Structures are given as structure tokens and as C-alpha cells.
């Protein structure tokens, strides 16, 4: 049936209807979400448009900051996630908390290459919006509705179209400076030059350059994030919170039987080494939080050239070239290691039995931080080369356009202050390094530096080559106006290459990274062919119907047919109602389908009868009840993945009671089937037998062992519903021109299954699974323009949520630990922030803008969450929802000539 439907669709597209149409001239108005241009289309779609004035008054100084700050953009990947997480500096945008992979990012209406450093699970697979300089953007169009019927895969949740500056013969230079307290200071330089005017000379060349540098902000510079150990009050009870269990020099014995933590240096000297804190029992804790970057160091350099030429009456040729280089250097605490203390080794014999090193428990294990190496560094350089060519015109009643795209994204990732597991272990085996000594010996320091690794980690490359052509025309006259028809074809080729260094692959001997969990390379590609058609039929002056249908064929996962219908009803001249219903799909990423199997982070669990049963089902020897079991998590692709399918719809009203006054209200709903993801370790360990396919085997160095299956799978369904509001007022008054705009988004429902066949779960206001969906987000901007001055006050609000449960140790009345633990969930409150901006147009050539972001210097509230999607290593607050920078003073000067 599907093949018949697709064949019929392609026949319609190829043959087209045969009407004796009039030679109508298509107006020069085209927006995101439709292939048919017409004056009133903006009111037909749930579309939010940000003009250059909106961008300048937002206070944002990067495209990522601007887009992620929109109330309906929730669930994206912040740049700060790179600290402690292998994101390579990626920053993505997500609409309605569906995920960045469901939001299609366009540059001047054309696709960009996906991020090259995406993970085997498919995370970080969208477009890296950090490459698009904000100074080069003229307008942003955000379609808050599924658009697979026009754009194909990845547009399931919506579309963001970034439209760059062009057709302007002006010249300007801008310098800006941002200064938070203690770090994250930023310099910005940009210049724009326009040559020629399209209307007068028939051609235009626009050149833009931008350079940005931002320093790092460390945890030590913020009181809410500078402690790994803190006291937490909850319900009248005091608890102790310790962020990182591998943060101290200690020892435990018996690999299968947790014996206890001991610190020989503490016992011998009665005090912890310098820079460490006694845990009031037997361990010395390092304050890792103070050493972590809350905001990484960042440099960006971009060049964009846009050329437009009128090649014939009604025909125009355009070219856009973007070259962008973005470097992010993130630093975390020194390298950790779990070192084996073997019986008979010099170190084992050096300590008496009273410290717990008994033959019956051999070998023992030492938890150690290589402070001598300094803070670990990840140095990621991302480059984007993007060339787009477009030709558009009119002929015989048709308005047509054709485009070519070549887009290449490259990631070069390096590490510093690292040491391989084999090299670290050899230092202990030889007796050179005593991990329990208060300070390393001179010989140990020299040996550590000799084993140090600073160099390449991985290289990855993503390519996209595409062609698209489309045409539209009026084909008949109906009572309400012209029946319009559009059709189009698209072909694209995508490829992804991932090349780890010898160190990352574990091939460098003692200097290699952990050979038990090597990073594995990958090469994959796909081809996509598509055809689409769109109709609009004005049945009367008040009622219009529309429809679109698209057929896609993906060489990896097969074919998909999507469609969309919509209706627009002009109830009154000032009141319009609109509704849409459509289907969508998202194909698995190349990594999700083909990434080779490889190990990842380890998880610890207590051996239970359920774990024993899983081991026996896989033909493995069961663990011993009560023992602490170390589980590997095996990642890789899954060629059996099915594409995600969706049904989405919206109902909206647009009211324009007076000129300059408008209110847009949209109720939207999305239902996704066969959602792709990886069940969390917490979910699997809570009921080891419930999650289908959750277990596999991995070689732990001594043979096959029980491991978590981290390969992506089709988890089941997700249903999400919400309301978006876009209201604005613009009117003159005695004191000047007043402008006000309110953007608001609320989530009414978000239910998903954590695994196929599992129970429903809602993350709205609930961080139980490691990440919460904020029920409310809003931004209210008010501007007064008076003469050469403009003043803007922006109020930003987001609601709170219930944090993830964390096991905390009770403290007695004297603040001493009791050995009793409770699962504690704290309430993370909502937040209101105010931003102020004043701009003075000194002359036609000079403009000065001063602003204060977060005027009240409101601090992020306490959060204890230690897991979840896109969670970095910051402690005491959650960087996914709150900004660590606090109050930011900004100054910008612009010279126009």
C-alpha cells in the first residue's frame, strides 16, 4: 500500500494538474514552513520572527545564547556541558524539550552539515549553532510546528531558519566587552561591509567578519559551586553531600567484597594532606568543585561572504560562503585512577596489616588523583565550511528556485594532563608511586611527568552535499482567490568519519588510554532522495485550506511518506483561527545505525538475585550476593533501529485589534512512536529484568562479564502538549515610542516510556530521571524609544522542579556523620531575572550600548543532581537550567560609515 501511495504521489508531482492558469506574479514574500510565497502566509503558521532590532535588544551576545533563551526553546545542549563531558563544544537548540535532534536548523533556507563529534548513542547529532555569528544574522524565523512534509527528517519538532545580512550597501564596525565577576570576560569584534545595491546596480556583495574571545570561569569563583562537600538541610534534618566518590586518596580491599575506606597518610599523621578535607571518618576528600570550569575558555573566528546578482529580469543568483572556527578549552579536576595494590608488591609490604591490607583480601585498591599533572584539559577545535548557491526566478507563470549546498564540519579534539591506565598502574607496581603519601617523592613526580600524555584524542568529519529545486504557481481561480500549487525535488548525500588517535584506541602501550575501553573509529554514509508537493486553496475570503505531502527514500532505513493539512479561518478582520494536522519522521543518525561496539563509563551496583539471574541467562557465572559489582556499559550502533514516526497538530488564534497590537496563541501536540534512545543505568538497575535487551557481555580483562547494553533502541512513545504565546504592542506616547513583547511557553503534558513496554513517566517539574522539563518559561521585553535614546527592560522567568533523588548521610546535632543514609529530593525553586539595556545614538555614525544582564545578581539555586542528559560536572547547581556567570556588565560601540 505504501509503495502504491508513493508511486501515485510521484506521478502527481511529475505530471501536475492541467489548468489554464493566468500569468500571476508571485509576491516576493517567502517564509519558513511553506514553499508557496504570499503576503498573508506569516499569519497562517505558528511562526516567531526575530528581527535585527529584536536581536540587538535581547542582550544575547551569541546565537546559542539567543536561541536557547527563547521560552519555547527548551532541552538544548549548552556549551558548558563540554566541561567533563565529551561533547567537543557542541551547542544545540531544541524546541518544546523534544530534543535538538528533532529541530532542523537552516541557514538561508538550506541545510547545514550535522555535528561531526556526535556520540555513538546519537547524542549531539544536530547542527552546531555556535558556528553562526550573531553579528551576521539579519532575521531568525522559528517555526514551532512539525514540518517533515516539507523538509523531511529532523523537522519533526520544528524549524529554525537563520537568515544572514545581505543587500545592504552600508558599512559598520562593532567592538563589545562583557564582564561578569571573577571570569568569563568576553571581547567581541565584528565588521560588516556592503558593496552595491541590488535595485540600482543589479548586484550586491556583503562581507562580514567576527572574532570573539572569552576567558574561563572556575568553580572556585562562585560560592554556590566551589565545594565538593557541603551540608544540606532538608525537612529539619542536616545531611552531608559528597559530590565525587573518587575524590580522595584512600584504599579499599577485596575486589568482590567492599571492605571500607582507609587513608594511611591520615592515620599516620593525624591530618589530611594540604588541600584535602577530612571526611570525619577515615578518608581525605579533595575539593574538586573548585577546580572545575563552570564556563570554558572560548575563541571564535568567522568570515561570511554573500553575493547576489540580477542575471536577468526576474532572475536572481545568490551565493553564501561561511567559514567558522570555534575553539573551546575546558578544564576539570586532575586525572583520577583506580590503582591495584597487589600482594607482594613493594607498596603492599610497606603498610602494616592494621591498615586493612590482609592477604585474605588481596589485592587492594587505591583511589588516586594525579594532582602533579594539574587540571585535565580538553581542547576542541571545530570548523565549519559552508557554501550555498541559489538561483531563483519566474517563467511562464512559475516562480522557481534551485539550490546547491556543500557543507563540511570538522572536529579536532585533543587532551592534556592525561595518563593512561597502564602507565599509572606501572608506577604503583614498581614502587615508584605511593598513592597514600602526603606528597609524591621527587622520583614519583619525575615518573608521572614522563608518563604524561598531551596530544590528539579524536578527529571527526561530517559532510553534506545537497541539491534542491522547487517551483510554484497559481493554477486556478477560486472564490477566495488563487489556487496555488508547489512541487519540489531534493537529493543529498551525508557522510560521517570518526578517527581516534592511537592513545584513544589503547594502542600506545603504557602511554595508551585504558585499553579495556578503547575508542573505535567509524565511517558511514547515506543518500536521501525526496519529492514533495504543497497546495493552498482559498475556498472563500474567510476560509482557506492547505495540504502538503512528501516522499523520502533513505538508503539506510528505507522510505517514508509524510503529509500535512491545515486550515485558516478569518473569523473577523482582526481575528484569525488556524489549525494543522500532520505526520513526521526522523531517521536514526549514522552513528546510531553503524557505530562499532565500544566500552564506556563503568557503573557500580550491589549484587542481587536479579543480577545473578541476568548473568545466568547469558551463560555467565553469577556474582556473590551482597558484593559490589562493577559493570561496563557497552555502546555502539544498532542497525535494526526503526525510524521514529510522529503525528502532530496545532490550533491557534491570532488577534490584531489595533495597528501595532497582536496576540498569537497556539495549542500544540506531538505524539512520537518508536522514539530512539538508551535506557538509563538507573532505570535498568531499578528492575534488571524489566527492560528488554538491557544486558549483554563485555570482556573485563579476565573474560566475558555482565555489562549494560548502551546501544540505542526504540524505546516506545512520547506524548507532549503545550501552549505558546507571542504577544506584542507598539504605540506612540508622550514620552516616546513604546514597544512591548511577551513570549511564553507552558508544557501541559509530557509523558514518555523509559523503555519499550515500560510505565509512563512525566518529566514536567520532575527530575527523577536526571533531567526535568520546566513547566513555564517566559520572556517579557519592554522598550522605550525617545529621540536618540532607547531603554529596554527584559524580565525572564522559569519555573522550578523537584530534583533527582540523592543518597545523603545524616548528620547528628553536632554535625558529625551518623552512618545512616536517606534518599533526599530537594525542591529547586523557579527563577526571575531582570536585564537592562540603554542605547544612545550619538550621531548617525556612532552608537553606544550599555547593558546589565541579571541586574540583581541572582544566584542559581541548589541542585544535587549528578546525572541525566547533557549534565556536566559542575556541582551545587545545574548548568543546564542556570547561568553561573551572575551579573554581567556589557558595553558595545558601533561605528557606521
Amino acid at each position: 500500500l505504501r509503495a502504491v501511495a508513493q508511486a501515485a504521489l510521484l506521478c502527481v508531482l511529475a505530471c501536475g494538474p492541467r489548468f489554464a492558469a493566468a500569468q500571476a506574479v508571485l509576491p516576493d514574500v517567502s517564509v519558513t514552513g511553506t514553499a508557496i510565497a504570499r503576503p498573508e502566509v506569516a499569519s497562517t503558521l505558528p511562526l516567531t520572527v526575530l528581527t535585527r532590532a529584536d536581536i540587538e535588544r535581547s542582550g544575547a551576545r551569541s546565537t546559542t545564547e539567543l536561541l536557547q533563551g527563547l521560552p519555547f526553546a527548551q532541552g538544548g545542549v549548552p556549551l558548558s556541558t563540554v566541561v567533563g563531558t565529551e561533547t567537543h563544544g557542541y551547542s544545540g537548540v531544541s524546541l518544546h524539550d523534544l530534543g535538538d535532534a528533532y529541530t532542523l536548523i537552516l541557514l538561508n533556507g538550506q541545510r547545514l552539515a550535522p555535528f561531526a563529534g556526535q556520540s555513538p548513542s546519537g547524542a549531539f547529532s544536530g547542527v552546531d549553532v555556535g558556528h553562526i555569528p550573531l553579528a551576521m544574522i539579519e532575521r531568525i524565523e522559528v517555526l514551532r510546528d512539525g514540518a517533515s512534509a516539507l523538509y523531511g527528517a529532523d523537522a519533526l519538532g520544528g524549524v529554525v531558519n537563520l537568515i544572514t545580512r545581505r543587500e545592504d550597501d552600508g558599512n559598520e564596525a562593532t567592538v563589545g566587552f562583557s564582564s561578569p565577576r571573577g571570569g568569563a570576560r568576553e571581547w567581541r569584534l565584528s565588521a560588516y561591509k556592503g558593496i552595491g545595491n541590488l535595485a540600482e546596480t543589479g548586484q550586491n556583495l556583503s562581507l562580514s567578519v567576527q572574532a570573539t574571545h572569552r576567558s574561563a570561569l572556575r568553580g572556585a569563583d562562585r560560592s554556590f559551586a566551589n565545594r565538593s562537600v557541603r551540608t544540606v538541610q532538608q525537612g529539619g534534618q542536616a545531611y552531608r553531600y559528597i559530590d565525587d566518590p573518587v575524590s580522595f586518596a584512600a584504599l579499599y580491599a577485596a575486589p568482590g567484597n567492599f571492605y571500607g575506606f582507609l587513608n594511611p597518610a591520615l592515620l599516620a599523621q593525624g591530618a589530611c594532606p594540604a588541600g584535602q578535607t577530612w571526611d570525619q571518618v577515615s578518608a581525605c576528600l579533595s575539593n574538586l568543585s573548585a577546580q572545575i570550569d563552570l564556563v570554558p575558555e572560548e575563541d571564535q573566528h568567522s568570515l561570511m561572504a554573500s553575493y547576489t546578482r540580477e542575471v536577468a529580469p526576474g532572475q536572481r543568483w545568490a551565493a553564501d560562503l561561511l567559514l567558522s572556527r570555534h575553539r573551546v578549552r575546558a578544564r576539570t579536576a586532575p586525572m583520577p585512577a583506580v590503582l591495584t595494590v597487589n600482594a607482594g608488591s613493594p607498596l603492599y609490604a610497606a603498610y602494616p596489616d592494621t591498615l586493612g591490607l590482609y592477604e585474605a583480601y588481596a589485592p587492594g585498591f587505591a583511589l588516586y588523583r594525579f594532582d602533579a599533572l594539574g587540571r585535565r584539559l580538553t581542547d576542541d577545535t571545530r570548523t565549519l565550511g559552508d557554501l550555498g548557491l541559489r538561483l531563483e526566478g519566474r517563467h511562464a507563470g512559475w516562480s522557481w528556485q534551485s539550490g546547491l549546498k556543500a557543507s563540511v564540519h570538522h572536529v579536532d579534539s585533543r587532551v592534556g594532563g592525561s595518563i593512561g591506565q597502564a602507565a599509572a598502574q606501572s608506577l604503583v607496581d614498581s614502587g615508584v608511586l605511593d598513592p597514600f603519601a602526603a606528597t609524591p617523592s621527587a622520583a614519583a613526580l619525575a615518573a608521572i611527568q614522563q608518563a604524561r600524555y598531551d596530544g590528539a584524542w579524536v578527529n571527526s568529519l561530517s559532510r553534506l552535499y545537497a541539491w534542491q529545486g522547487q517551483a510554484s504557481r497559481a493554477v486556478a481561480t477560486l472564490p477566495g482567490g488563487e489556487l496555488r500549487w508547489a512541487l519540489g525535488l531534493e537529493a543529498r548525500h551525508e557522510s560521517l568519519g570518526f578517527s581516534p588517535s592511537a592513545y584513544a584506541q589503547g594502542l600506545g602501550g603504557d602511554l595508551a588510554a585504558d585499553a579495556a575501553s578503547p575508542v573505535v573509529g567509524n565511517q558511514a554514509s547515506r543518500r536521501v532522495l525526496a519529492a514533495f508537493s504543497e497546495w493552498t486553496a482559498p475556498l472563500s475570503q474567510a476560509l482557506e485550506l492547505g495540504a502538503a505531502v512528501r516522499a523520502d527514500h533513505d538508503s539506510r532505513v528505507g522510505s517514508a511518506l509524510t503529509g500535512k493539512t491545515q486550515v485558516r479561518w478569518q473569523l473577523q478582520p482582526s481575528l484569525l483561527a488556524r489549525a494543522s494536522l500532520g505526520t513526521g519522521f526522523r531517521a536514526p543518525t549514522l552513528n546510531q545505525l553503524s557505530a562499532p561496539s565500544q566500552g564506556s563509563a563503568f557503573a557500580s551496583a550491589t549484587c542481587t538475585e536479579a543480577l545473578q539471574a541476568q548473568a545466568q541467562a547469558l551463560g555467565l557465572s553469577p556474582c556473590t550476593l551482597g558484593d559490589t559489582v562493577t559493570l561496563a556499559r557497552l555502546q555502539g550502533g544498532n542497525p535494526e533501529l526503526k525510524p521514529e514516526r510522529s503525528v502532530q497538530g496545532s490550533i491557534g488564534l491570532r488577534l490584531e485589534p489595533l495597528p501595532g497590537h497582536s496576540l498569537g496563541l497556539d495549542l500544540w501536540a506531538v505524539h512520537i512512536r518508536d522514539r530512539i534512545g538508551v535506557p538509563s543505568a538507573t532505570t535498568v538497575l531499578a528492575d534488571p529484568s524489566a527492560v528488554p535487551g538491557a544486558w549483554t557481555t563485555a570482556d573485563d580483562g579476565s573474560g566475558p562479564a555482565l555489562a549494560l547494553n548502551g546501544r540505542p533502541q526504540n524505546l516506545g512513545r512520547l506524548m507532549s502538549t503545550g501552549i505558546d504565546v507571542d504577544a506584542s504592542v507598539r504605540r506612540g506616547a508622550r514620552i516616546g515610542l513604546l514597544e512591548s513583547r511577551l513570549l511564553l511557553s507552558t508544557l501541559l503534558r509530557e509523558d514518555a516510556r523509559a523503555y519499550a513496554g515500560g510505565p509512563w513517566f512525566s518529566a514536567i517539574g520532575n527530575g527523577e530521571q536526571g533531567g526535568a522539563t520546566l513547566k513555564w518559561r517566559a520572556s517579557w521585553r519592554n522598550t522605550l524609544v525617545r529621540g536618540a535614546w532607547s531603554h529596554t527592560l527584559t524580565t525572564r522567568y522559569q519555573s522550578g522542579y523537584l530534583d533527582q533523588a540523592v543518597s545523603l548521610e545524616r548528620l547528628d546535632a553536632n554535625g558529625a556523620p551518623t552512618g545512616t543514609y536517606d534518599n533526599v529530593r530537594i525542591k529547586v525553586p523557579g527563577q526571575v531575572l531582570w536585564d537592562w539595556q540603554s542605547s544612545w545614538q550619538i550621531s548617525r555614525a556612532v552608537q553606544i550600548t550599555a547593558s546589565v544582564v541579571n541586574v540583581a545578581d541572582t544566584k542559581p539555586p541548589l541542585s544535587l543532581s549528578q546525572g541525566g542528559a547533557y549534565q556536566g560536572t559542575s556541582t551545587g547547581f545545574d548548568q543546564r537550567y542556570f547561568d553561573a556567570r551572575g551579573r554581567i556588565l556589557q558595553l558595545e560601540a558601533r561605528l557606521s560609515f
Side-chain angles (χ1 to χ4, degrees):
L1 181 60
R2 179 181 298 174
V4 173
Q6 292 178 354
L9 168 65
L10 294 176
C11 180
V12 170
L13 295 178
C15 302
R18 297 186 177 180
F19 293 115
Q23 296 293 314
V25 178
L26 188 67
D28 289 328
V29 177
S30 180
V31 299
T32 305
T34 179
I36 299 175
R38 53 206 174 102
E40 71 279 7
V41 71
S43 62
T44 306
L45 303 168
L47 191 74
T48 294
V49 179
L50 302 177
T51 64
R52 186 66 203 169
D54 294 320
I55 295 171
E56 292 177 349
R57 292 170 182 169
S58 69
R61 291 300 176 259
S62 72
T63 305
T64 301
E65 187 178 332
L66 174 69
L67 292 176
Q68 292 184 349
L70 294 175
F72 36 78
Q74 184 180 170
V77 184
L79 178 66
S80 57
T81 300
V82 71
V83 182
T85 307
E86 200 170 350
T87 69
H88 307 295
Y90 170 81
S91 52
V93 176
S94 163
L95 296 179
H96 298 143
D97 200 37
L98 295 175
D100 55 291
Y102 300 91
T103 301
L104 178 63
I105 306 295
L106 303 175
L107 180 64
N108 295 320
Q110 294 179 299
R111 285 176 174 262
L112 292 157
F115 183 64
Q118 54 191 267
S119 75
S121 67
F124 324 122
S125 59
V127 169
D128 185 6
V129 296
H131 279 294
I132 316 299
L134 193 60
M136 301 180 186
I137 296 177
E138 178 67 26
R139 186 173 79 257
I140 299 175
E141 297 176 348
V142 183
L143 177 63
R144 298 172 279 107
D145 194 7
S148 290
L150 185 64
Y151 297 106
D154 311 329
L156 187 154
V159 181
V160 176
N161 190 7
L162 305 168
I163 300 167
T164 57
R165 303 173 70 177
R166 63 188 325 118
E167 300 183 23
D168 182 358
D169 57 2
N171 305 289
E172 67 178 43
T174 303
V175 58
F177 178 65
S178 299
S179 181
R181 172 179 51 84
R185 293 186 175 91
E186 181 177 321
W187 281 97
R188 298 176 302 276
L189 298 170
S190 65
Y192 173 83
K193 182 173 182 61
I195 304 172
N197 184 290
L198 195 63
E200 297 176 0
T201 65
Q203 59 183 336
N204 169 264
L205 175 64
S206 300
L207 298 172
S208 301
V209 293
Q210 178 172 310
T212 302
H213 170 75
R214 184 168 65 184
S215 63
L217 174 67
R218 293 181 61 171
D221 296 320
R222 292 293 182 266
S223 60
F224 52 81
N226 63 359
R227 289 166 291 155
S228 293
V229 182
R230 66 181 67 231
T231 299
V232 177
Q233 296 288 338
Q234 180 74 1
Q237 173 64 51
Y239 294 93
R240 183 176 61 170
Y241 170 76
I242 301 176
D243 173 63
D244 190 343
V246 191
S247 62
F248 42 84
L251 176 143
Y252 65 93
N257 182 20
F258 182 79
Y259 182 74
F261 290 105
L262 299 165
N263 189 287
L266 172 65
L267 296 179
Q269 303 172 25
C272 289
Q276 297 185 11
T277 304
W278 179 43
D279 75 341
Q280 303 185 54
V281 181
S282 60
C284 294
L285 311 179
S286 297
N287 188 15
L288 303 183
S289 298
Q291 304 179 64
I292 293 170
D293 284 348
L294 303 180
V295 176
E297 183 181 359
E298 182 181 5
D299 287 284
Q300 183 181 24
H301 301 87
S302 303
L303 165 68
M304 185 156 194
S306 297
Y307 179 71
T308 308
R309 182 181 179 87
E310 197 84 26
V311 295
Q315 293 188 13
R316 182 179 298 180
W317 178 78
D320 295 302
L321 173 66
L322 172 63
L323 302 175
S324 176
R325 182 179 184 271
H326 199 169
R327 185 181 184 188
V328 177
R329 293 176 292 280
R331 293 171 174 86
T332 57
M335 190 81 178
V338 180
L339 305 173
T340 303
V341 185
N342 294 300
S345 67
L347 177 62
Y348 196 97
Y351 291 97
D353 289 346
T354 55
L355 296 185
L357 289 173
Y358 298 104
E359 291 287 345
Y361 293 111
F365 296 88
L367 307 182
Y368 188 70
R369 288 271 176 184
F370 283 91
D371 293 324
L373 295 174
R375 297 195 298 157
R376 279 175 294 165
L377 169 69
T378 57
D379 188 349
D380 296 297
T381 300
R382 297 135 42 223
T383 56
L384 174 68
D386 186 84
L387 176 63
L389 304 176
R390 298 185 306 280
L391 183 64
E392 57 187 38
R394 300 183 185 90
H395 180 69
W398 289 92
S399 177
W400 55 269
Q401 60 178 261
S402 179
L404 289 172
K405 171 56 71 87
S407 187
V408 179
H409 190 264
H410 176 248
V411 172
D412 178 14
S413 181
R414 305 178 70 82
V415 296
S418 184
I419 185 171
Q421 177 66 30
Q425 183 61 50
S426 68
L427 297 178
V428 176
D429 292 341
S430 64
V432 173
L433 174 64
D434 181 353
F436 307 117
T439 57
S441 66
L445 289 173
I448 289 172
Q449 292 301 328
Q450 188 175 1
R452 177 191 184 108
Y453 179 79
D454 298 290
W457 181 247
V458 297
N459 260 278
S460 51
L461 191 66
S462 171
R463 294 187 178 96
L464 180 143
Y465 302 105
W467 170 83
Q468 180 177 343
Q470 64 185 51
S472 65
R473 66 170 296 168
V475 294
T477 301
L478 298 180
E482 293 177 325
L483 173 67
R484 295 176 181 267
W485 176 52
L487 74 163
L489 299 172
E490 181 184 358
R492 68 178 187 269
H493 180 271
E494 301 175 12
S495 64
L496 179 68
F498 187 75
S499 303
S501 66
Y503 177 79
Q505 295 180 69
L507 302 178
D510 283 351
L511 291 180
D514 186 4
S517 302
V519 180
V520 184
N522 185 33
Q523 301 287 332
S525 64
R526 66 166 21 122
R527 296 182 306 277
V528 177
L529 299 175
F532 63 89
S533 183
E534 182 181 5
W535 299 79
T536 59
L539 302 183
S540 67
Q541 293 295 326
L543 183 63
E544 178 185 276
L545 303 180
V549 64
R550 177 178 171 122
D552 282 83
H553 178 76
D554 187 307
S555 61
R556 285 276 185 172
V557 296
S559 300
L561 187 66
T562 53
K564 185 174 184 177
T565 59
Q566 60 188 41
V567 58
R568 187 190 63 171
W569 186 12
Q570 194 77 46
L571 300 171
Q572 297 177 6
S574 62
L575 180 61
L576 178 144
R578 60 194 178 205
S580 69
L581 180 64
T583 60
F585 84 105
R586 175 181 170 266
T589 69
L590 289 172
N591 250 352
Q592 286 177 328
L593 291 167
S594 63
S597 296
Q598 53 190 292
S600 64
F602 293 89
S604 295
T606 300
C607 182
T608 62
E609 291 183 357
L611 284 184
Q612 288 181 330
Q614 295 301 320
Q616 290 173 334
L618 293 171
L620 304 172
S621 299
C623 53
T624 302
L625 285 175
D627 281 2
T628 298
V629 183
T630 300
L631 299 169
R633 188 176 182 88
L634 203 64
Q635 292 185 315
N638 179 2
E640 303 301 321
L641 285 175
K642 296 183 292 185
E644 296 170 292
R645 308 276 180 170
S646 71
V647 176
Q648 61 269 328
S650 67
I651 300 175
L653 293 173
R654 182 174 178 84
L655 177 65
E656 296 180 350
L658 296 170
H661 295 59
S662 67
L663 169 64
L665 180 69
D666 292 281
L667 171 67
W668 56 268
V670 178
H671 181 190
I672 301 175
R673 294 180 289 115
D674 296 323
R675 186 170 58 95
I676 297 174
V678 179
S680 69
T682 302
T683 299
V684 175
L685 293 174
D687 189 350
S689 62
V691 183
W695 297 97
T696 185
T697 61
D699 194 332
D700 63 358
S702 60
L706 187 66
L708 293 166
N709 183 3
R711 297 182 180 91
Q713 55 183 275
N714 293 106
L715 300 180
R717 302 190 177 195
L718 179 146
M719 291 185 285
S720 187
T721 305
I723 295 176
D724 293 337
V725 176
D726 186 347
S728 62
V729 174
R730 177 184 172 93
R731 62 180 301 173
R734 281 189 173 184
I735 59 175
L737 177 64
L738 297 174
E739 297 180 354
S740 181
R741 187 172 190 180
L742 172 67
L743 298 178
L744 180 147
S745 182
T746 181
L747 272 292
L748 304 177
R749 177 185 184 183
E750 186 186 72
D751 291 319
R753 296 186 188 273
Y755 55 90
W760 291 100
F761 170 81
S762 177
I764 296 180
N766 180 12
E768 180 181 346
Q769 296 292 331
T773 297
L774 305 181
K775 183 173 181 60
W776 294 92
R777 294 190 79 203
S779 172
W780 185 24
R781 190 190 72 230
N782 293 277
T783 300
L784 168 64
V785 180
R786 181 180 177 87
W789 286 89
S790 69
H791 307 283
T792 300
L793 175 65
T794 302
T795 305
R796 295 178 285 143
Y797 169 74
Q798 63 180 32
S799 57
Y801 59 94
L802 195 61
D803 208 7
Q804 186 180 31
V806 180
S807 180
L808 300 181
E809 184 177 12
R810 288 184 173 223
L811 301 178
D812 63 19
N814 297 319
T818 63
T820 302
Y821 290 81
D822 294 334
N823 282 331
V824 176
R825 299 187 71 185
I826 67 172
K827 174 66 177 179
V828 179
Q831 191 176 64
V832 179
L833 302 178
W834 288 272
D835 305 332
W836 178 266
Q837 181 184 97
S838 290
S839 182
W840 181 25
Q841 191 74 44
I842 299 176
S843 67
R844 294 184 60 184
V846 180
Q847 182 186 57
I848 301 293
T849 301
S851 59
V852 183
V853 178
N854 188 3
V855 173
D857 197 21
T858 303
K859 297 177 175 59
L862 176 67
S863 171
L864 304 180
S865 176
Q866 295 178 328
Y870 312 143
Q871 172 71 291
T873 56
S874 58
T875 62
F877 81 108
D878 198 321
Q879 101 291 341
R880 295 172 295 180
Y881 310 106
F882 302 97
D883 191 338
R885 293 175 295 174
R887 183 189 294 120
I888 306 172
L889 306 179
Q890 300 186 146
L891 184 64
E892 187 172 272
R894 178 178 304 160
L895 175 65
S896 302
F897 54 94

